[in-house]
Amino acid sequence: MNERNNSPDCERAADLMAFLYNEASESEASDFQLHLQECGSCRAELASFGTVRESITAWRDEALSGFVSSPALKKPSTKSAVAALRQFFDLSPLWLKGATALAAVTFCVLAGLAIAKRENNHLSSTQVNQGNVYTQQDVDRIVKEELAKQKKAEPSPVETASDSALAVKSPKPKALRTATPDQLVKSRRPLSRAEREQLAAELRLQTTDDATLNLLGDRINQ
Amino acid sequence: MDLSSDEIIVERALTGDAEAFGEIVRRWERRIFALTYGMLGREEDARDATQETFLAAFRNLRGFRGEAKVSSWLHRIAVNQCISRQRRSRVRSESALEDEQENDANLFASPISYSPAHVAEGRQQTAAVRRAVNSLPLDLRQVVVMKEFEELTFREIADVLDLPLSTVKSRLYTAMKQLQMRLQKFESRN
């Protein structure tokens, strides 16, 4: 320890440096602390070196605060959305925080209302279906479908009367039961002879003369 | 062995992994900058020296032997870069040094009322420390910078500079003593 005319006043300069930089072991440190009580030179140097260190640290912090890593080497940011949001709130002024909170509350309320409204619509539509109530469009569509089916099922001349009777006996579609009278009239077709005969039989009308059957058919068709 | 250790990453770089050397740079860039800044005292020079350090390391990657730590190897390159930069610019810096000394003289002589109190005082103190460190002989400055800027242990400094531990402590003691005297001079002038 005698370089450049800065030879230490005490032979324990190496211990002083280890103590100054917290690199002394526990026993070395306690031993040096005992030495400090006796050695004024080491005490003075420890204090003045501490001041030098503080000055260097201030310079270092100032110098390194301007250090920016090369942009090409920067890792892509993996900051989470929550962290970004937190940073945004930390940096925002008070009024912006308030406005953001108000906007969030408004959004939540509107979203809640929209959901509630949707739930109501869903419930009412479910109830409507349960009560077998159809809209005008539904009725029109069902009537058209039934008409098309009936056209297809129209008995050909060779078809037997029993087939026709089955067709007459077949239950009426639900839509027709609830359709308006006008639509029912429109949807009805004149009964064929075989149907009229079947109907007469069911009504225990034993007659088969054309005049009675026609009258019955006309009534029904009306 | 730790897969993320510097040594493994250098091995990866040697096998052609383009990302690996970038990882080394990311890890050590700041500390090497601290070292070059402390050694050269100017941000611009420090940036250049840091860049040159990593370029030199990349070029000599095959010459890296696993015996030493990557950090010690990089520090050695950085110290050599700083020394050669200073040698190259010695002639140029002579005039700059004169300017600096002139500035120093003004700085040391400037009355406190010259500057808006506290901030200026801090700046003056920082400038005084910087100049005090820069005026240290290279071997002392290296040790101060490695200890104060990079916060290396005495053992690590000894490894990097290939010196006995006692010599490192002795040099740091001498450096601190000289810095203390220079700063005292600065304070007495103010």
Side-chain angles (χ1 to χ4, degrees):
Chain A
M1 293 278 169
N2 48 6
E3 287 185 35
R4 296 180 184 83
N5 301 324
N6 290 112
S7 49
D9 303 326
C10 174
E11 59 184 14
R12 295 193 66 173
D15 295 339
L16 170 68
M17 298 315 286
F19 188 80
L20 178 69
Y21 286 97
N22 290 322
E23 286 193 38
S25 69
E26 217 170 288
S27 60
E28 285 168 349
S30 57
D31 181 52
F32 190 74
Q33 269 173 334
L34 284 175
H35 169 73
L36 279 176
Q37 290 172 358
E38 301 161 359
C39 180
S41 160
C42 281
R43 269 203 309 275
E45 280 186 338
L46 189 66
S48 59
F49 288 177
T51 312
V52 173
R53 285 198 69 194
E54 278 173 20
S55 303
I56 297 176
T57 305
W59 169 43
R60 181 197 67 193
D61 291 348
E62 193 184 303
L64 297 185
S65 65
F67 175 76
V68 182
S69 181
S70 352
L73 292 166
K74 271 184 185 170
K75 274 189 172 178
S77 175
T78 52
K79 197 189 284 176
S80 70
V82 177
L85 205 62
R86 194 174 294 149
Q87 191 184 14
F88 167 75
F89 270 100
D90 287 345
L91 296 173
S92 304
L94 196 62
W95 67 265
L96 190 58
K97 283 178 191 171
T100 313
L102 190 68
V105 168
T106 312
F107 176 78
C108 288
V109 167
L110 287 176
L113 285 174
I115 289 167
K117 196 176 176 186
R118 200 173 165 179
E119 284 293 316
N120 279 341
N121 285 344
H122 179 67
L123 273 176
S124 60
S125 68
T126 312
Q127 283 164 358
V128 164
N129 285 339
Q130 281 168 350
N132 290 328
V133 179
Y134 294 94
T135 63
Q136 188 64 44
Q137 286 88 349
D138 289 339
V139 171
D140 289 343
R141 181 177 51 78
I142 290 165
V143 167
K144 271 181 193 169
E145 280 172 8
E146 286 302 318
L147 280 174
K149 273 185 198 167
Q150 283 179 8
K151 264 187 189 173
K152 272 188 188 171
E154 191 86 51
S156 61
V158 289
E159 271 181 284
T160 60
S162 62
D163 288 340
S164 304
L166 276 173
V168 171
K169 273 183 177 177
S170 63
K172 282 182 185 175
K174 198 159 51 175
L176 290 179
R177 270 182 259 141
T178 54
T180 59
D182 286 344
Q183 282 167 336
L184 281 173
V185 171
K186 275 182 197 167
S187 69
R188 267 187 199 152
R189 62 181 168 77
L191 295 176
S192 65
R193 180 179 175 80
E195 287 166 343
R196 287 200 301 269
E197 279 175 1
Q198 179 63 34
L199 193 61
E202 283 180 5
L203 294 169
R204 297 180 192 282
L205 293 175
Q206 297 303 316
T207 178
T208 54
D209 73 79
D210 281 349
T212 314
L213 288 175
N214 283 335
L215 181 66
L216 186 64
D218 288 341
R219 289 217 175 145
I220 290 169
N221 287 335
Q222 277 169 12
Chain B
M1 197 176 198
D2 184 7
L3 289 176
S4 62
S5 72
D6 290 332
E7 288 71 26
I8 294 285
I9 294 172
V10 166
E11 272 179 33
R12 272 172 45 208
L14 281 169
T15 56
D17 185 342
E19 286 289 308
F21 194 75
E23 179 61 31
I24 289 287
V25 177
R26 266 191 292 274
R27 284 184 184 194
W28 290 99
E29 192 180 23
R30 192 179 169 88
R31 292 183 78 163
I32 295 298
F33 175 78
L35 170 71
T36 54
Y37 190 93
M39 292 282 288
L40 301 169
R42 276 167 56 98
E43 193 178 325
E44 217 177 286
D45 292 345
R47 279 187 197 286
D48 290 348
T50 305
Q51 211 167 29
E52 283 167 13
T53 298
F54 285 110
L55 273 172
F58 188 73
R59 285 195 201 111
N60 297 309
L61 206 55
R62 300 207 172 271
F64 171 71
R65 284 168 295 178
E67 298 152 12
K69 277 184 174 179
V70 172
S71 55
S72 307
W73 176 60
L74 285 174
H75 281 115
R76 227 169 278 154
I77 297 173
V79 168
N80 289 337
Q81 286 292 334
C82 291
I83 293 170
S84 57
R85 272 186 87 82
Q86 282 175 329
R87 275 188 197 142
R88 278 203 305 268
S89 62
R90 188 165 287 159
V91 179
R92 181 161 49 88
S93 68
E94 267 172 14
S95 56
L97 189 68
E98 280 164 16
D99 291 346
E100 195 157 277
Q101 278 168 347
E102 201 174 304
N103 286 341
D104 262 353
N106 289 337
L107 179 72
F108 280 74
S110 60
I112 295 171
S113 58
Y114 225 79
S115 54
H118 223 78
V119 179
E121 196 183 320
R123 276 185 193 153
Q124 282 182 347
Q125 179 73 19
T126 305
V129 175
R130 180 169 65 82
R131 281 174 191 140
V133 172
N134 285 346
S135 63
L136 287 172
L138 185 65
D139 55 348
L140 300 185
R141 201 188 324 156
Q142 277 177 359
V143 183
V144 171
V145 168
M146 284 182 178
K147 194 73 198 146
E148 294 291 347
F149 274 67
E150 295 189 80
E151 295 169 329
L152 298 183
T153 62
F154 288 118
R155 171 52 58 201
E156 285 170 330
I157 297 171
D159 287 345
V160 171
L161 298 177
D162 207 13
L163 290 171
L165 192 62
S166 57
T167 308
V168 175
K169 286 182 184 172
S170 161
R171 284 190 185 178
L172 192 60
Y173 175 86
T174 309
M176 293 304 267
K177 200 87 173 146
Q178 291 194 10
L179 288 173
Q180 177 208 346
M181 287 192 299
R182 285 163 205 230
L183 290 173
Q184 268 177 353
K185 207 188 272 183
F186 163 73
E187 275 167 18
S188 63
R189 283 181 185 176
N190 277 283

